[in-house]
Amino acid sequence: MGESGGMTDPAPTQCTIALMPSGRRGHVPRGTNLLDAARMLGVDLESICGGRQTCGKCQIVVEEGQFLKHGITSTADHLSPIDEREAAYRQSHDLDGRRLACAAEVQGDLLITVPEESQARKQIIAKAATDRVIDVQPAVRQVYVECEPATMEDTRGDWERLQDALKEQWNLMDLSIDPKILPALQPALRDARSTITRPGGLPPVVGSQNLESSRGVTISLWQDTEVLRIQPGYSEGVYGLAVDIGSTTVVAHLCDLRTGAVLVSEAMMNPQVRYGEDLMSRVSYGMLEPQGVARLHRSIIRALNELAEKAAARAGITMDDILDAVLVGNPVMHHLLLGIDPIELGGAPFALATKAPLDLKARDLGLGLGAAARIHILPCVAGHVGADNMAVQLAEAPHQQDGMMLVIDVGTNAEIVLGNRQQVLCASSPTGPAFEGAQITHGQRAAPGAIERVRIDPGTLEPRFKVIGYEDWIEPRLSPSLPDHARTTGICGSGIIEVVAEMFLAGIIDADGRFAESSARRSSRVRFKGRTGEYVLADAEQTATGHPIVVTQNDVRAIQLAKAALYAGAKLLMAHHGTARVDRIVLAGAFGSYISPVHAMILGMIPDCDLSKVTAVGNAAGDGARIALLNREQRIEAARLARWVIHVQTAVAANFQNEFVAALALPHASDPFPNLEGVIPARSAEPQPRRSQRRRQDGVPNPPPTV
């Protein structure tokens, strides 16, 4: 054929694969077996049968659509068709639309979700609830009441008789009953008719008449105004869920509402990650895809139901026993939970659909809890500061402190709180997903195989590191051979923070974040490609992929951008409050639990502070949700705080850009760090103009977009 003969372009020889929830992404040759392709990219799938299509452990889900975040279009026909062996397996096993990775070959670009049960290396999610003193006064409680039976002379309905009994025995008036519960009233009374004495040896109710024929039932009440459940006889057990819906992880605590005890904590990766790792990507997905918002909404509702079901099963209760829940999340998560398009949050003036606290029925959101279960959503503060930040404020209580407290909830959008009894300020800072391993060459989320701790010898530039799932420190120079479970797959957030800080301490990079050419003469681990440097952290022999893991100049720049946005946000709050120092720094969030305070300060993520006063408190948003679940007065307090706290808008602050540029340096271009004296290199005497000029030459971009 001639040049215009109509021949189609040949299929590309390389295909792009993105694997969620690990975030690993790379290229594999067309025709590669998908099980092998995943392993090539450092993602191990369960496969007991060794790829013989018999165990069914390597199930995956192909996500279909255009994913601009990854620059790919993924469809099911980008995998080879189902062959006879896979078809035979499917006849006897319900795969629910999933494919077997070992039975499929890559034919095009793919976004793959690996279900938790198919992951050989499970994700590590900090989910434990922190021990806190909570005055237990839940919104839902149980009362036992004995109701007079119907007679020919008494024309009241059973509901009216129950209302009168509750008024007489518990002084509860003006009660309503959920319409879904009304059909259960008479069956419960019938089942309780044979009850003559109260179970458990409880004494008769004072004032009850005709005890032999009275009918005792247990009533679950919400705010002493509405009946949520009626159970025959005397029954104990009413439960609630406190849930932090993070952009990356979702954590749920199942609590006994009578005792306040945390019975079970469950966590999972937020399934919305497949549509975009950061919040702006999800806003864009909702804008560009006709069913995008509905898809994002359904995915989080399914996740919440799955978490609740798992928690209930582990606690030995049913979903019907869960009658209350408190949900928190950032504004984008808040809106998607409610099925609201977050498009207005994607640009100025960043208007919320509503910032008020919400009391809803669980069933109206599609949550399969008790038939009449209630949902409370804490208030938001502003378009960038959500209900999760209000939960953090409940948990850490800066408004009750005498000293100046700085609270940083580190995530793709860091939420910052600064204040004391006199005044509390808050802001959101656009850090982006670099701290969570995204935008980093070998970055990944925290999972077995991820490098989480790093030390570099300042003399030899040789590294030591710790890998999640392996107890010992690994020294590449001394450990050429490692067991499979010790081989690293990438670097998680805490690891990338430490390695950049350690590179600065060892002189591999300078205060501007540039690789020092002299360091390449000191060690072969520092390599230059042209004028761009990189550091070899792990040799090929220590990795699961057989390729070395490196930290590049672009990786350092991504961390500089993220930490500068965080520091600039804190400095703006300090300036607004009129303070030059903080007395205490609290690092909140699951990721904050793993950050080394000294490395965070060396990097310049946080202002100078006595290191003994820098603490990590874990998932403070989840703890705040639990406080609101167990104490109804704290829901009122949260609403008050949301009105009282002052929000500082970093996106339009006149001096944000100046603070951001100054914060790009390690640890900072001009701010003093007396608590790091003797730890970091002495500040260069080089004039600031030359330093700024070098930044422009290096092409340092503007701060990340805010959402």
Side-chain angles (χ1 to χ4, degrees):
M1 283 191 181
E3 291 183 3
S4 58
M7 290 186 66
T8 59
D9 293 332
T13 58
Q14 294 285 316
C15 304
T16 302
I17 300 181
L19 294 145
M20 296 297 168
S22 70
R24 300 296 294 170
R25 181 178 180 274
H27 306 289
V28 300
R30 189 172 188 271
T32 303
N33 178 272
L34 183 56
L35 181 63
D36 295 333
R39 289 172 174 168
M40 288 168 61
L41 298 178
V43 177
D44 282 340
L45 304 186
E46 291 277 14
S47 181
I48 297 174
C49 69
R52 296 179 178 83
Q53 302 179 33
T54 57
C55 72
K57 300 296 184 185
C58 62
Q59 297 178 25
I60 56 90
V61 178
V62 178
E63 303 296 343
E64 299 203 60
Q66 186 177 15
F67 299 92
L68 299 180
K69 174 72 178 179
H70 304 285
I72 61 176
T73 298
S74 173
T75 66
D77 60 9
H78 285 180
L79 281 180
S80 57
I82 297 172
D83 61 17
E84 292 182 3
R85 293 186 66 183
E86 187 178 2
Y89 183 89
R90 298 170 76 91
Q91 286 182 349
S92 55
H93 300 84
D94 182 14
L95 294 187
D96 193 25
R98 299 176 178 180
R99 290 291 305 272
L100 297 180
C102 67
E105 294 181 353
V106 178
Q107 301 294 331
D109 294 345
L110 290 161
L111 181 69
I112 299 292
T113 293
V114 182
E116 184 178 1
E117 59 270 23
S118 298
Q119 299 170 23
R121 299 183 175 198
K122 312 301 184 191
Q123 290 285 327
I124 303 296
I125 305 174
K127 63 182 182 179
T130 306
D131 289 335
R132 295 181 184 270
V133 177
I134 303 173
D135 182 15
V136 179
Q137 300 179 49
V140 176
R141 66 171 181 140
Q142 290 179 305
V143 298
Y144 176 81
V145 62
E146 291 176 346
C147 184
E148 293 295 324
T151 65
M152 294 295 291
E153 295 77 24
D154 188 351
T155 59
R156 292 176 300 168
D158 281 333
W159 167 235
E160 288 69 32
R161 259 185 297 279
L162 182 58
Q163 283 180 298
D164 290 341
L166 286 163
K167 179 179 179 180
E168 178 185 357
Q169 297 167 35
W170 289 96
N171 197 32
L172 292 167
M173 294 172 282
D174 300 323
L175 290 175
S176 63
I177 185 170
D178 188 288
K180 293 286 187 181
I181 300 304
L182 193 55
L185 170 61
Q186 290 183 315
L189 292 171
R190 282 198 304 270
D191 290 345
R193 186 174 298 170
S194 60
T195 302
I196 297 177
T197 59
R198 298 173 70 190
L202 294 172
V205 174
V206 176
S208 65
Q209 303 294 323
N210 194 13
L211 187 59
E212 286 74 14
S213 58
S214 65
R215 296 176 290 180
V217 290
T218 300
I219 307 297
S220 296
L221 295 165
W222 178 77
Q223 301 280 29
D224 285 352
T225 61
E226 183 183 36
V227 174
L228 302 184
R229 193 181 192 189
I230 304 172
Q231 297 167 277
Y234 177 82
S235 179
E236 285 186 5
V238 60
Y239 307 92
L241 277 177
V243 186
D244 172 27
I245 305 171
S247 54
T248 304
T249 62
V250 184
V251 181
H253 304 299
L254 177 64
C255 301
D256 185 322
L257 294 182
R258 184 180 65 84
T259 66
V262 178
L263 304 179
V264 172
S265 293
E266 285 286 345
M268 68 186 300
M269 303 302 294
N270 189 328
Q272 294 174 344
V273 167
R274 71 191 65 164
Y275 306 112
E277 291 180 328
D278 57 68
L279 299 177
M280 193 64 219
S281 296
R282 293 180 211 178
V283 173
S284 299
Y285 183 80
M287 292 170 55
L288 298 174
E289 289 287 327
Q291 296 298 315
V293 173
R295 197 171 291 153
L296 289 162
H297 170 70
R298 287 194 302 269
S299 68
I300 193 58
I301 295 300
R302 281 196 301 269
L304 293 175
N305 280 324
E306 182 180 336
L307 281 176
E309 190 172 359
K310 286 183 177 180
R314 283 184 57 196
I317 65 173
T318 69
M319 295 274 277
D320 288 337
D321 295 320
I322 303 175
L323 294 182
D324 197 14
V326 171
L327 310 180
V328 302
N330 62 55
V332 173
M333 294 299 97
H334 172 280
H335 279 40
L336 291 174
L337 168 70
L338 297 171
I340 299 171
D341 190 339
I343 186 172
E344 298 297 334
L345 299 173
F350 313 108
L352 291 158
T354 178
K355 63 175 285 184
L358 298 173
D359 285 302
L360 309 169
K361 292 290 187 181
R363 62 176 181 262
D364 291 340
L365 282 180
L367 297 175
L369 309 181
R374 304 290 304 221
I375 298 292
H376 181 80
I377 301 175
L378 289 181
C380 296
V381 179
H384 295 160
V385 182
D388 55 345
N389 182 263
M390 188 48 57
V392 170
Q393 293 191 45
L394 283 184
E396 298 308 317
H399 57 287
Q400 297 176 4
Q401 309 298 316
D402 293 322
M404 190 62 62
M405 175 187 280
L406 176 66
V407 184
I408 302 174
D409 194 348
V410 186
T412 53
N413 237 45
E415 292 180 335
I416 310 169
V417 179
L418 176 76
N420 53 20
R421 295 183 190 277
Q422 281 68 50
Q423 186 60 69
V424 173
L425 310 174
C426 67
S428 176
S429 199
T431 55
F435 285 147
E436 295 176 335
Q439 301 176 344
I440 304 299
T441 304
H442 291 283
Q444 66 168 88
R445 295 195 177 91
I451 294 174
E452 61 173 342
R453 292 281 178 261
V454 178
R455 300 292 182 269
I456 297 176
D457 187 299
T460 65
L461 305 189
E462 283 296 314
R464 294 187 300 133
F465 53 81
K466 290 198 73 171
V467 170
I468 296 176
Y470 188 68
E471 291 186 2
D472 298 333
W473 283 84
I474 296 170
E475 298 187 48
R477 184 169 53 88
L478 303 177
S479 309
S481 179
L482 292 171
D484 288 344
H485 69 283
R487 295 180 184 276
T488 178
T489 55
I491 315 171
C492 67
S494 62
I496 194 66
I497 287 172
E498 292 195 8
V499 73
V500 174
E502 288 282 325
M503 287 164 62
F504 173 55
L505 293 178
I508 297 171
I509 57 176
D510 62 19
D512 283 336
R514 297 178 309 162
F515 275 78
E517 294 184 6
S518 60
S519 62
R521 295 190 291 270
R522 297 166 57 198
S523 172
S524 61
R525 290 196 172 276
V526 181
R527 309 186 302 199
F528 277 83
K529 297 178 179 178
R531 296 188 63 185
T532 303
E534 64 181 22
Y535 177 73
V536 181
L537 178 59
D539 299 322
E541 293 80 10
Q542 287 95 43
T543 70
T545 61
H547 300 287
I549 287 177
V550 300
V551 180
T552 70
Q553 183 70 77
N554 286 338
D555 297 337
V556 175
R557 285 286 181 256
I559 292 300
Q560 285 181 275
L561 290 169
K563 75 96 178 180
L566 180 58
Y567 192 95
K571 281 296 296 293
L572 285 178
L573 291 189
M574 293 170 67
H576 200 286
H577 206 293
T579 184
R581 59 184 295 274
V582 295
D583 300 305
R584 183 183 170 200
I585 297 177
V586 173
L587 300 174
F591 174 54
S593 300
Y594 296 101
I595 296 176
S596 160
V598 66
H599 286 90
M601 195 175 293
I602 291 168
L603 196 63
M605 285 177 61
I606 56 178
D608 184 73
C609 181
D610 181 346
L611 282 166
S612 67
K613 301 294 185 182
V614 182
T615 56
V617 294
N619 184 15
D623 286 339
R626 185 163 55 95
I627 290 169
L629 174 70
L630 297 175
N631 189 309
R632 60 184 181 272
E633 295 298 324
Q634 289 297 307
R635 304 182 187 188
I636 299 172
E637 175 71 352
R640 183 192 71 81
L641 286 173
R643 296 189 298 269
W644 178 68
V645 170
I646 294 176
H647 175 247
V648 177
Q649 180 61 264
T650 58
V652 296
N655 56 339
F656 179 79
Q657 184 70 19
N658 291 335
E659 290 287 0
F660 173 81
V661 171
L664 286 168
L666 305 178
H668 193 272
S670 57
D671 283 358
F673 282 81
N675 284 285
L676 292 179
E677 187 175 349
V679 176
I680 60 174
R683 191 184 307 277
S684 171
E686 184 180 17
Q688 180 66 30
R690 287 184 61 193
R691 200 178 272 137
S692 300
Q693 183 181 17
R694 284 209 305 261
R695 280 196 205 91
R696 288 194 296 270
Q697 290 172 350
D698 288 343
V700 176
N702 289 325
T706 299
V707 164

